[in-house]
Amino acid sequence: MKIHIKNGRVVDPMNARDEVADIFVAAGRIVGIGAAPADFHANRTLDASGLVVCPGLVDLSVRLREPGFEYKATLESEMLAAAAGGITSLACPPDTDPPLDEPGLVEMLKFRARNLPGPRVYPVGALTQKLEGRMLTEMAELTEAGCRAFTQADAPLTDTQVLLRAMEYAATFGFSLWLRAQDVSLAKDGVAHDGAIASRLGLPGIPALAETVALATILQLVRETGARVHLARLSTREGIAMVRAAKAQGLAVTCDVACPHVHLSENDLVSFDSHLHLVPPLRSLRDRDAIREALRDGSIDALCSDHAPVDEDAKQVPFGESEPGASGVELLLPLTLKWARETGVPLIQAIDLISWKPAQILGVPAGHLSVGGNADICVFDETAEWVVSSNTLASQGDNTPFLNHPMQGRVRYTLIDGHIDFEAPR
């Protein structure tokens, strides 16, 4: 199908483009920006007047819940939800049941995803067998099956020698490791940030030290091995400072944060709402403000949704007994826009955090609008106001701390490979 996207504000960080222009799509690719190619006759024209046209979003952490957790969500439901959120490429962590630690499981997931409408799915393979933290997986075979990186997700890795061997192996063969920094012993049994609010509510705490102690180990191993490491979902001011210093020293590290941590803090826990039970926990206002500043100054490379749909029963219990996690793919864009508005950050810089930069971390040809490139495109109305509810979310899990919150900014069209995979109802 040939598609003409007309009169939109084209925002493309990779090409430093922010201007009103037309985009022309044919055979799954962008064939013209500004001027139409010769003999171009559109099958469909999308009027983007007053709308923003940007690269399809790239999300570094989306749990699709298959295989093994279909009672929480299905591949079909979450792929559709991601497309409704403007996401055209996503990284899927390996903490499924069974974990993604064998090539056959990875190939099955990719096969299932290819045959469904929605984003391109890039599995992140398990770093250790069954995510048990003892034996490394066959990274080379998993890479051949389609894994883009390797991680323990939220499963503990207590044996530092295993982590050292993993980094040595990854550095030798050019694999990327994605690690979430948390010392298991210091975080043991904790459900909230270890601060005044948790103490007042009687919730066991996870100290900021749990992140920084683990980070110190990871960064020292990176220095020793030269491994390429992405640090997932940082949550503390001190942790961000450590990563900033590591980058200044030339270490090959990148990092991201999850959208809820940009807007919420431990102070929000006074409601005792189990939807606020997240991993890592919502930290102090000081930490939240440090995250917002690090996004602005470029110290943090990407924003992710950390999408983790949870079934209703797992949230309808006291906070400390609830399952952590929140749905987020449909909130990645509006929460990014909200941060940009509140901090005065230009739209092109905000879009960069959820398109081009995460695409570079994932190592995929996405996140930009270029003639000849894949036609993965998000068209959104940055002024559209809506309220988050089970009726306005497509995800099977409507567990989010932003339930009933007003949002501004909503996707109108999502094109993947030049096909309209999502179109908002009029």
Side-chain angles (χ1 to χ4, degrees):
M1 174 181 278
K2 295 182 179 179
I3 298 174
H4 176 191
I5 304 174
K6 185 178 178 183
N7 287 334
R9 177 185 172 188
V10 178
V11 178
D12 177 14
M14 194 279 269
N15 289 302
R17 184 190 294 270
D18 186 350
E19 62 182 356
V20 174
D22 291 6
I23 291 183
F24 304 90
V25 172
R29 296 193 171 272
I30 295 172
V31 294
I33 299 177
D39 300 325
F40 183 92
H41 302 289
N43 303 105
R44 185 168 178 192
T45 297
L46 307 180
D47 184 3
S49 301
L51 305 179
V52 175
V53 181
C54 73
L57 310 189
V58 180
D59 195 336
L60 294 178
S61 183
V62 179
R63 286 170 170 82
L64 298 169
R65 295 308 195 193
E66 287 197 36
F69 299 110
E70 289 81 357
Y71 61 96
K72 297 180 183 179
T74 64
L75 206 58
E76 287 88 342
S77 66
E78 303 319 288
M79 295 275 280
L80 286 172
I87 294 165
T88 57
S89 296
L90 62 84
C92 176
D95 50 353
T96 50
D97 185 19
L100 298 177
D101 63 356
E102 294 182 2
L105 292 167
V106 175
E107 289 165 355
M108 178 60 73
L109 175 62
K110 288 180 66 69
F111 174 79
R112 287 258 294 132
R114 270 198 308 270
N115 288 282
L116 291 170
R120 305 170 198 275
V121 172
Y122 296 101
V124 180
L127 182 60
T128 62
Q129 296 177 20
K130 301 184 186 306
L131 292 174
E132 292 177 340
R134 293 197 291 266
M135 302 287 290
L136 297 182
T137 54
E138 296 291 345
M139 293 188 216
E141 294 180 7
L142 287 167
T143 299
E144 289 176 7
C147 289
R148 304 299 306 183
F150 298 92
T151 182
Q152 280 292 101
D154 290 332
L157 204 172
T158 56
D159 191 329
T160 307
Q161 189 172 67
V162 172
L163 183 56
L164 172 62
R165 298 289 175 252
M167 285 201 195
E168 289 174 338
Y169 189 76
T172 300
F173 294 98
F175 302 135
S176 175
L177 303 188
W178 292 13
L179 303 173
R180 190 173 73 81
Q182 178 166 285
D183 183 276
V184 176
S185 300
L186 290 171
K188 188 177 181 182
D189 300 328
V191 298
H193 173 62
D194 188 18
I197 303 296
S199 297
R200 191 190 315 162
L201 299 177
L203 297 172
I206 301 175
L209 204 58
E211 181 169 288
T212 54
V213 165
L215 258 180
T217 300
I218 291 169
L219 293 175
Q220 187 58 38
L221 293 178
V222 170
R223 285 189 185 91
E224 291 294 323
T225 62
R228 185 159 47 95
V229 170
H230 176 68
L231 298 157
R233 290 174 288 150
L234 289 181
S235 66
T236 65
R237 185 177 78 161
E238 291 79 6
I240 292 166
M242 291 170 70
V243 174
R244 188 182 284 128
K247 287 182 173 183
Q249 294 165 13
L251 270 61
V253 293
T254 53
C255 63
D256 68 52
V257 294
C259 268
H261 292 71
V262 179
H263 297 283
L264 303 173
S265 74
E266 61 173 342
N267 292 10
D268 294 288
L269 299 185
V270 294
S271 65
F272 252 122
D273 181 358
S274 61
H275 291 114
L276 293 153
H277 187 183
L278 305 174
V279 174
L282 296 169
R283 297 291 187 179
S284 67
L285 277 174
R286 189 188 70 155
D287 294 310
R288 188 205 64 177
D289 291 346
I291 287 173
R292 293 164 72 89
E293 174 58 22
L295 284 166
R296 191 193 62 76
D297 70 19
S299 299
I300 294 174
D301 301 282
L303 267 167
C304 71
S305 71
D306 195 23
H307 181 71
V310 174
D311 60 299
E312 187 175 348
D313 288 348
K315 287 292 188 184
Q316 298 301 318
V317 293
F319 186 96
E321 300 170 22
S322 64
E323 181 177 337
S327 289
V329 282
E330 293 156 274
L331 303 178
L332 177 61
L333 177 65
L335 289 177
T336 301
L337 297 176
K338 177 178 169 64
W339 162 76
R341 282 194 303 272
E342 292 172 349
T343 56
V345 166
L347 181 61
I348 192 168
Q349 183 179 340
I351 295 297
D352 197 24
L353 291 163
I354 52 176
S355 60
W356 174 241
K357 283 185 175 175
Q360 293 301 288
I361 292 167
L362 190 55
V364 297
H368 62 93
L369 301 174
S370 303
V371 175
N374 293 330
D376 293 352
I377 301 170
C378 172
V379 182
F380 68 92
D381 182 347
E382 63 176 330
T383 66
E385 297 179 348
W386 58 291
V387 176
V388 180
S389 74
S390 56
N391 294 325
T392 55
L393 293 178
S395 172
Q396 183 172 318
D398 57 9
N399 54 294
T400 164
F402 298 99
L403 210 57
N404 300 318
H405 284 223
M407 292 286 158
Q408 187 175 329
R410 192 133 211 214
V411 175
R412 291 281 289 276
Y413 303 100
T414 302
L415 280 71
I416 302 172
D417 262 342
H419 179 267
I420 301 174
D421 271 39
F422 172 78
E423 181 172 357
R426 294 282 183 174

